[in-house]
Amino acid sequence: MAGERGPSAPRRLHELDALRGFALCGIMVVNTWQHTCDRLEHPARNSVDWVVDSLFQAKFFPIFSFLFGMSLVLFLRSAGDRSEHPRLVLLRRLAVLACFGAAHRLVNPDEVLLPYAGFGAMVLLPASFLPDLMVLLAGVGATVWGVGHGGGGALVSGLFLLGMAAMEFPLSERLLAPAFVVSTVLAGGLVYLWIASSTGGLLFFRSAYTASGVACSAAYGTGLLLLLRTRLRDLLMRALTPLGRMALTNYLLSTVAILGALPLLVADPTRLSVPALAVAVLAAQVAFSRWWLARFRYGPVEWLWRCLTWLERVPNRRSPVPA
């Protein structure tokens, strides 16, 4: 997989970090809400529940899954410059991620690192041997199948493959605005259909819910990319890029924050503390990530992941800038 290595590549890589940070924001809200509701025996649904369930739940993990597939291609390219067996290095990288996920699962049973590592080894690694067009077609087919059957491993695998294919068939910037309009209209219709089908058949209800999640994620992602082409670019990049570059560290730290605040979250019947905590934690993580990355190349967990992947101590501290 050769892919793009031209002058626009660095800008696109920074935008991928921003997208990852943006997805992490939505996942933080969803995880906080889910942990809170899981601790309530019979929660009375209110407006906060409706907003999170309709606009956040299952709407951000597709972005994360898509980016996971893209990151595999980037890693294979980098590993190919350092090792004669880049796929073996990738397999070790996924094994380390699985260990992180297994440890994280002890306190957060719904975490995604362990299944992502598993699907990466079973789907993405074999797909790296296939022609690019076949990867794209397999991604489309698996995604459609996953949507039709209410999500699950097929959907995650399909999004992985689509992200992998997107590195070889990048979307033209001229298509961003039409893609945003189409996905927004589609998302709105599917969310309405999901709400209207809540009394219908279970499979149709789940399929509408899953389809609305994929469409919303496409609308959110293309919408952010369009905003990155406006005067808001610098502000958004300063906030989201550090968050995305330390996504693994921040994802694990968010679990600590949520579990520590659970007594307060459960005691709040309005559930307004859910978005309040999410915003406070994300603001702290942005500040911490900016501070850390000014001094180090990788986040703390990202650095450990890289060291265990390469089985060597990887330099991390940045050289001091001369006065």
Side-chain angles (χ1 to χ4, degrees), residues 51-121:
V51 170
V52 175
D53 203 11
S54 301
L55 302 180
F56 287 83
Q57 173 80 323
K59 310 298 189 295
F60 287 88
F61 92 84
I63 300 177
F64 227 87
S65 302
F66 186 83
L67 293 175
F68 192 86
M70 300 184 80
S71 68
L72 177 136
V73 177
L74 292 171
F75 181 82
L76 277 179
R77 291 176 184 172
S78 175
D81 296 333
R82 295 184 54 181
S83 171
E84 295 181 356
H85 306 287
R87 290 179 176 84
L88 290 178
V89 180
L90 173 63
L91 186 60
R92 188 161 61 235
R93 179 176 175 82
L94 292 172
V96 174
L97 182 64
C99 293
F100 287 157
H104 189 213
R105 187 154 288 207
L106 296 176
V107 295
N108 183 9
D110 296 324
E111 70 92 37
V112 300
L113 301 180
L114 183 57
Y116 270 38
F119 284 120

Side-chain angles (χ1 to χ4, degrees), residues 139-152 154-156 190 201-212 214:
V140 172
T143 301
V144 171
W145 177 272
V147 169
H149 290 76
L155 178 61
V156 173
L190 286 169
L202 178 60
L203 182 59
F204 183 76
F205 170 71
R206 290 177 58 193
S207 297
Y209 184 74
T210 305
S212 70
V214 174

Side-chain angles (χ1 to χ4, degrees), residues 31-41 43 110 262 266:
N31 286 347
T32 307
W33 177 70
Q34 286 182 334
H35 277 286
T36 303
C37 293
D38 287 345
R39 298 303 192 281
L40 300 173
E41 293 186 4
D110 296 324
L262 263 182
V266 172

Side-chain angles (χ1 to χ4, degrees), residues 289-296 318:
S289 298
R290 287 177 58 84
W291 176 87
W292 182 275
L293 291 173
R295 292 157 177 81
F296 300 95
R318 294 185 183 277

